[in-house]
Amino acid sequence: QQQQQQQQQQQPEKKEEPEPEREATPPPKEEEKVAKEKVEEPKKGDDGDESGGDWDDDNSSGAEWDADSDSDNDDKFDALAAKLNKVKLENSEEEDLIAMEKRKEQERLRQIGIERAERERIEAEKQALIMAEQEEADRKTQMAAAQREEGKKKRLAQEKANIEARSRDDLRCPIVVIMGHVDTGKTKLLDKIRKTNVQEGEAGGITQQIGATFFEKKTLEQQTAKLNETEKFKLDVPGMLVIDTPGHESFTNLRSRGSSLCDVAILVVDLMHGLEQQTIESLTMLRKRGTPFVVALNKVDRCYAWKTCKDMPIRDALKEQPQGTLDEFRSRSSEAKLQLAEQGVNSNIYWEMGDDDWMNSDFVPLVPTSAISGEGVQDILLLLCQIAQRKLWKQIMWCANLQATVLEVKAIDGLGMTVDVLVVNGYLREGDKAVFCTLDGPIVAEIRGLLTPPPSREMRIKSEYIHHKEIKGALGVKIIGNGLEKVMAGTPVMIVGPEDEEEDIKAEVMSDLTSLQDKLSTDKKGVMVQASTLGALEALLQFLREETNPPIPVSNIGIGTIHKRDVTRISIMNEKGCPEFATILAFDVPIERDAREHANEVGVRIFTADIIYHLFDQFTRFMEELTERRQQEAAAVAVFPSIVKILPQHVFNQKDPIIVGAEVVEGILKVGTPLCVPALGGLHVGKVTSIESNGKEQDTARKGSSVAIKIVNESNPNITYGRQFDASHSLYSTLSRASIDALKENFKEKLENEDWRLVVKLKKVFNII
């Protein structure tokens, strides 16, 4: 007990020593007190554990601990509280950062949400606007369609009323078309009637565009006066409009356009040559369209010993001829009648036709004429007027409905772009709103001027034009207006009247375009075609595509003068790897000097000609030269397919060089062909350096021929017939992928079908893919 009391006395003494230090420490802050109170309970427990451990070591009892625990552990509580407070502050700082990050993230997401909502709202507004616009557009389209339909009904009703209002007293000029083969004298005949000379102004004397000539009634009466003394025929027609269509084959489409406009036709036949291919074509076309026609047996003055009777009616002229000339005329005209009969056409010399023949619409009158001295020209004019008034009066009653067709689009110095229009019926007035058809859609242009050549002059001839305020059909007229560059030949022209619906007129004008566009479709690779007028361009395109073999592809088309930009446009063919198509075929057009210089720089060829055939000949010649050059270049690579069998009884030299007699079993053996033996693992025998047949050298030997061949092997001169190979092994041409490609590109036409089949067979032998 005494020992225990001593220990108890010593302990409080130890604890009393640090008291002054405790007083020196500053008083705890309010937060520290709060923290201290909060953690007091756990602290006691902790201290209790530690102290309890101490007491256990000292073997003391729990009652003593309870008595002194508060006073003993005050200092420990303070230290712990300070530590805890520090940890607490650090934790709270970390918590603040996390919270701030969270807040930032929330704010960002909220912002994204706001932006998205805004976007969706704008999108919805856009959609609503598009829908509204679409509905409005649909409504407008429907309204426009309804208006167009209404306009169409009104227009058709008006047209019907105009047709019913026609009268026999008011006739228009009949439209006459002159057709026939090249050089039969069509234009010369017209020149004789007109007393002009277009023929000399044309390239090679061949008509290259449709010309339209108007003959006044006065001219017709003067021309037919002599003949009419006997015929006593009263002219009611106000005149005659003659279209001279180009005669040669390449102008089929222009001829079609000419005959689709005409009421009556003159088919010119050369009395010396009879019916020619093109005359037959024209004949077929006229019959297909049901157009009445007269046959002019031209060049009657070429009959032997013909006595010229200038401008006389043909019957009077024939009376003046000697018997021999008459006999020749009779025999030649009978021959022409026979040829026409072979084509299914009944015909007779017109003054020998009875009334029944005249009434029979299938019967065709023949009129002998001379375009040089003018015999028979009166007859043909009067005959045309008679046919028009007797047979076609219903057709040529003038009608107020405008019926007009574009013949040509041409730039004229001082007038700009003009359109030659054939007005068949109706009126055209200065200031009218005319609707034309172009590749880019309909265009509406105000008619600024209406010009006609003087009567009995062609629209093609550059003479002083007469200005008109109003034109009544049928007449050829030149229209001046703005933006007419792209107007298409052969398309209708319509006028927007005060009560007409413009959209309806536009739709009507464009309805014919599709067939024309098919003709003008262009290829990706090909030459450029430039022509003076659209009609010539159409003809040239048709000629290049349909009448040339093989067809010449066309990639670009143009009208008028060739500029530097045209050269640049076609020079791209050089980059595409088709230098042969870096070519401009220029038909009857001028070329600017800088365009020509630029063409020389960029490697573009320009072929020019005034006649289509010459243009085609130039290009064909160039293509042949190019093909030949290419074949020479490719000859080193290209290997023709062949299988050769050695004739063992004809071995002349066994090695260096090998000279043997051989039979070509299949294909074509050419000088320069490398030969091998596939049966011996593709053993390379050598290259054929010469082929002889009956002592004469030749370049090729075809299937079935027996020839002597010399084979040289430069890489292995020791190869010997009878050692490495013999007559039991067939020799094959050594083909490769490159050699087959070279054959395809440059020698396609030189190989026949069976040769190509051999190529396929050899591909398997040599494992060529």
Side-chain angles (χ1 to χ4, degrees):
Q1 284 179 354
Q2 283 176 353
Q3 282 175 351
Q4 284 174 357
Q5 282 172 358
Q6 282 172 359
Q7 282 172 354
Q8 282 173 1
Q9 284 168 2
Q10 283 169 0
Q11 278 177 350
E13 283 171 12
K14 283 178 190 171
K15 284 179 188 172
E16 278 169 17
E17 287 170 9
E19 273 181 12
E21 288 175 21
R22 200 168 63 225
E23 283 172 6
T25 57
K29 292 178 186 171
E30 284 301 311
E31 290 106 347
E32 288 175 356
K33 279 181 185 174
V34 174
K36 191 174 173 184
E37 283 167 13
K38 278 183 183 174
V39 294
E40 204 153 333
E41 294 302 322
K43 290 284 183 279
K44 279 179 187 177
D46 291 345
D47 270 358
D49 289 342
E50 286 168 28
S51 306
D54 293 341
W55 284 109
D56 284 343
D57 291 341
D58 295 337
N59 299 317
S60 57
S61 68
E64 290 164 344
W65 157 249
D66 288 339
D68 294 321
S69 62
D70 286 341
S71 57
D72 289 344
N73 288 306
D74 274 351
D75 53 345
K76 289 186 180 177
F77 280 141
D78 290 342
L80 277 169
K83 268 186 193 174
L84 266 174
N85 195 32
K86 191 179 175 186
V87 171
K88 181 80 174 173
L89 284 169
E90 285 172 4
N91 284 348
S92 67
E93 279 173 18
E94 280 176 21
E95 281 172 10
D96 285 352
L97 280 169
I98 290 164
M100 199 159 74
E101 286 296 323
K102 261 188 185 170
R103 277 200 304 278
K104 275 185 184 171
E105 183 62 20
Q106 283 172 346
E107 184 60 31
R108 191 178 69 79
L109 291 170
R110 191 173 73 82
Q111 211 55 43
I112 288 170
I114 290 167
E115 284 170 14
R116 186 174 171 184
E118 184 63 19
R119 273 202 309 274
E120 283 175 353
R121 184 184 66 76
I122 291 166
E123 193 60 37
E125 280 178 9
K126 265 190 197 167
Q127 286 295 333
L129 196 67
I130 289 166
M131 289 290 286
E133 282 174 1
Q134 186 64 42
E135 283 171 13
E136 182 64 21
D138 290 348
R139 194 175 61 78
K140 279 184 180 170
T141 309
Q142 284 171 356
M143 277 178 66
Q147 278 180 325
R148 199 163 63 227
E149 203 54 45
E150 190 62 37
K152 191 174 182 178
K153 278 181 189 169
K154 266 199 223 164
R155 179 171 58 79
L156 291 173
Q158 183 61 48
E159 284 177 6
K160 196 176 174 188
N162 288 344
I163 288 167
E164 284 167 2
R166 294 182 308 165
S167 117
R168 190 166 182 174
D169 300 330
D170 185 9
L171 299 179
R172 64 170 171 80
C173 309
I175 297 170
V176 180
V177 71
I178 295 194
M179 303 176 93
H181 196 77
V182 187
D183 296 337
T184 50
K186 301 183 294 296
T187 308
K188 209 71 179 155
L189 198 59
L190 259 181
D191 284 346
K192 197 72 207 163
I193 304 169
R194 280 196 297 254
K195 307 279 194 290
T196 64
N197 198 345
V198 172
Q199 182 79 41
E200 302 307 314
E202 285 190 4
I206 296 173
T207 315
Q208 299 287 357
Q209 285 137 24
I210 294 181
T213 312
F214 175 62
F215 297 104
E216 291 179 312
K217 188 174 182 179
K218 190 171 64 186
T219 314
L220 290 174
E221 284 171 346
Q222 284 170 3
Q223 292 269 5
T224 57
K226 189 117 197 292
L227 181 65
N228 227 352
E229 288 170 11
T230 54
E231 290 289 316
K232 304 278 187 293
F233 181 74
K234 183 175 176 287
L235 285 177
D236 290 333
V237 289
M240 188 183 291
L241 191 67
V242 182
I243 300 173
D244 171 18
T245 68
H248 34 104
E249 287 180 59
S250 56
F251 287 102
T252 308
N253 61 337
L254 281 185
R255 282 205 307 281
S256 302
R257 188 181 302 158
S259 67
S260 61
L261 296 171
C262 72
D263 300 310
V264 61
I266 303 173
L267 185 65
V268 183
V269 174
D270 187 333
L271 186 65
M272 299 294 122
H273 295 142
L275 287 191
E276 288 162 287
Q277 189 220 332
Q278 220 158 331
T279 321
I280 294 167
E281 194 188 309
S282 297
L283 194 62
T284 313
M285 200 182 295
L286 288 168
R287 293 177 71 199
K288 197 165 77 184
R289 295 177 194 279
T291 307
F293 61 98
V294 174
V295 173
L297 294 174
N298 200 26
K299 306 189 182 179
V300 72
D301 53 314
R302 293 268 187 94
C303 287
Y304 180 71
W306 179 268
K307 202 183 285 178
T308 302
C309 308
K310 207 167 173 52
D311 298 332
M312 279 179 75
I314 190 66
R315 274 178 282 180
D316 297 352
L318 285 170
K319 284 173 190 167
E320 302 292 320
Q321 305 307 324
Q323 190 57 43
T325 309
L326 282 174
D327 291 345
E328 187 188 352
F329 165 71
R330 285 281 166 205
S331 101
R332 288 192 182 275
S333 56
S334 300
E335 215 170 287
K337 272 164 59 174
L338 187 65
Q339 287 177 331
L340 282 165
E342 283 170 4
Q343 298 300 320
V345 177
N346 293 321
S347 59
N348 207 344
I349 304 289
Y350 86 95
W351 62 84
E352 292 176 0
M353 285 170 64
D355 288 342
D356 292 346
D357 295 344
W358 277 111
M359 295 312 292
N360 182 352
S361 58
D362 292 341
F363 233 84
V364 175
L366 303 178
V367 186
T369 60
S370 164
I372 302 291
S373 47
E375 294 97 336
V377 171
Q378 294 191 23
D379 303 66
I380 214 156
L381 283 177
L382 195 65
L383 197 59
L384 289 170
C385 294
Q386 284 177 340
I387 290 174
Q389 285 177 212
R390 286 176 181 167
K391 288 187 177 181
L392 304 173
W393 62 270
K394 281 185 181 170
Q395 199 173 319
I396 62 167
M397 287 195 293
W398 185 82
C399 176
N401 299 332
L402 178 68
Q403 188 186 346
T405 304
V406 177
L407 289 179
E408 292 293 342
V409 183
K410 219 168 187 182
I412 297 224
D413 297 341
L415 297 175
M417 212 48 139
T418 66
V419 178
D420 288 357
V421 173
L422 184 67
V423 184
V424 180
N425 271 317
Y427 286 106
L428 273 184
R429 297 178 180 88
E430 208 173 272
D432 275 352
K433 258 169 78 176
V435 182
F436 296 95
C437 171
T438 76
L439 282 171
D440 305 331
I443 57 163
V444 181
E446 187 183 326
I447 296 176
R448 293 213 325 265
L450 293 168
L451 310 178
T452 61
S456 302
R457 284 282 186 283
E458 276 224 20
M459 283 164 74
R460 291 180 298 176
I461 297 292
K462 293 178 177 67
S463 53
E464 284 302 309
Y465 290 105
I466 302 166
H467 283 256
H468 298 267
K469 289 286 177 197
E470 181 180 276
I471 289 286
K472 181 182 175 184
L475 199 60
V477 61
K478 198 175 272 296
I479 294 179
I480 311 171
N482 292 332
L484 303 178
E485 296 80 12
K486 295 184 178 178
V487 173
M488 299 276 292
T491 54
V493 180
M494 293 184 79
I495 298 295
V496 182
E499 292 183 10
D500 286 330
E501 197 59 53
E502 193 173 302
E503 290 305 314
D504 162 48
I505 302 290
K506 281 183 182 176
E508 188 66 27
V509 166
M510 291 303 290
S511 59
D512 291 345
L513 180 64
T514 41
S515 59
L516 277 175
Q517 269 179 326
D518 293 343
K519 283 184 186 170
L520 291 182
S521 60
T522 53
D523 308 297
K524 290 278 192 309
K525 287 180 182 176
V527 299
M528 181 173 197
V529 174
Q530 195 95 358
S532 54
T533 63
L534 204 67
L537 178 66
E538 275 184 86
L540 190 49
L541 280 178
Q542 186 173 346
F543 183 78
L544 294 178
R545 291 207 177 133
E546 293 176 17
E547 299 186 31
T548 58
N549 188 23
I552 297 171
V554 179
S555 64
N556 281 298
I557 53 173
I559 292 175
T561 308
I562 294 174
H563 301 284
K564 190 175 174 182
R565 63 173 180 270
D566 299 320
V567 174
T568 309
R569 205 189 318 162
I570 198 64
S571 67
I572 200 168
M573 286 298 151
N574 284 323
E575 292 164 31
K576 284 186 176 178
C578 305
E580 69 273 23
F581 294 140
T583 304
I584 298 176
L585 301 183
F587 173 61
D588 194 21
V589 290
I591 303 160
E592 285 187 348
R593 204 175 79 195
D594 60 344
R596 208 178 268 286
E597 288 166 5
H598 186 54
N600 292 335
E601 287 166 22
V602 296
V604 170
R605 285 156 304 282
I606 302 177
F607 295 125
T608 58
D610 290 345
I611 294 177
I612 282 186
Y613 296 123
H614 296 178
L615 203 56
F616 169 64
D617 293 344
Q618 284 178 33
F619 186 70
T620 312
R621 208 173 308 122
F622 159 71
M623 285 300 278
E624 281 168 3
E625 286 167 14
L626 185 78
T627 308
E628 206 172 302
R629 201 163 62 241
R630 281 187 174 174
Q631 285 180 356
Q632 285 168 1
E633 287 166 9
V637 185
V639 176
F640 279 70
S642 63
I643 299 177
V644 179
K645 188 171 182 287
I646 296 170
L647 304 172
Q649 68 275 30
H650 297 294
V651 176
F652 307 110
N653 200 29
Q654 292 185 317
K655 116 181 206 190
D656 193 24
I658 299 164
I659 301 174
V660 291
E663 184 190 344
V664 182
V665 180
E666 279 188 77
I668 308 165
L669 182 66
K670 283 181 86 77
V671 171
T673 303
L675 295 175
C676 70
V677 183
L680 300 173
L683 171 71
H684 178 55
V685 176
K687 202 176 260 189
V688 177
T689 55
S690 77
I691 301 172
E692 270 189 26
S693 176
N694 298 326
K696 288 180 185 172
E697 286 212 4
Q698 55 189 58
D699 285 336
T700 58
R702 294 197 79 92
K703 178 182 176 180
S705 52
S706 297
V707 289
I709 57 173
K710 178 159 76 170
I711 303 168
V712 174
N713 191 333
E714 289 173 0
S715 59
N716 182 11
N718 295 323
I719 194 156
T720 308
Y721 171 79
R723 186 179 295 166
Q724 282 95 335
F725 71 100
D726 56 28
S728 63
H729 304 117
S730 290
L731 305 180
Y732 285 62
S733 298
T734 310
L735 293 191
S736 64
R737 170 43 60 200
S739 69
I740 294 172
D741 290 343
L743 275 180
K744 279 182 184 172
E745 276 178 40
N746 302 293
F747 301 96
K748 203 167 188 176
E749 69 286 350
K750 295 203 172 179
L751 272 76
E752 291 170 4
N753 285 345
E754 61 176 348
D755 300 325
W756 285 113
R757 280 196 286 274
L758 179 59
V759 170
V760 174
K761 182 176 165 184
L762 295 185
K763 269 170 75 176
K764 289 172 186 167
V765 172
F766 295 110
N767 292 323
I768 298 168
I769 297 166

